[in-house]
Amino acid sequence: MTVEVVLVCVWRLVTMVRRGTVFTHAAFRWVDVVIGAFVAAAILIFALGAVLAPGEAVPPGMVLLVGGAGMAALGVALIVLVLRMLLAQAVARDIEAARMQAELDEVI
């Protein structure tokens, strides 16, 4: 389910790119949902590892692989968080450029 949520959010962001509106505050909502979906996926993966850990039905290496998958999901969430910060800087610069263009238009 988290994969579907991420796919829908990425689809919406690509649509915003095509329209040229990705550098607005509306894009943050979709990026935040992507981050939340990856964190939720990591929590679910760690819960699966906790369920599989007790007993001898599953080898310890498999539990370690599940934990690694959870760490990978958290890593992707952190990368998307860094990209969100870059988007925030781009939005701020776009707003500043629009303000400076308006001032320049007034001068001309």
Side-chain angles (χ1 to χ4, degrees), residues 50-68:
V51 168
L52 294 177
E56 296 185 19
V58 177
M62 186 60 131
V63 175
L64 183 63
L65 286 174
V66 170

Side-chain angles (χ1 to χ4, degrees), residues 57-95:
V58 177
M62 186 60 131
V63 175
L64 183 63
L65 286 174
V66 170
M71 292 300 291
L74 279 179
V76 171
L78 286 174
I79 289 171
V80 174
L81 180 64
V82 169
L83 292 174
R84 184 192 187 281
M85 290 181 206
L86 291 173
L87 177 65
Q89 288 179 356
V91 167
R93 290 196 180 173
D94 192 45
I95 291 171

Side-chain angles (χ1 to χ4, degrees), residues 2 12-13 16 24 37 46 64 72-73 76 78 84 91 100 102 107:
T2 57
R12 295 294 303 181
L13 287 168
M16 292 178 81
T24 61
F46 286 135
L64 183 63
V76 171
L78 286 174
R84 184 192 187 281
V91 167
M100 292 176 83
V107 170

Side-chain angles (χ1 to χ4, degrees), residues 2-19:
T2 57
V3 173
E4 291 176 2
V5 169
V6 169
L7 287 175
V8 168
C9 291
V10 169
W11 173 55
R12 295 294 303 181
L13 287 168
V14 168
T15 303
M16 292 178 81
V17 168
R18 285 186 190 161
R19 291 183 190 155

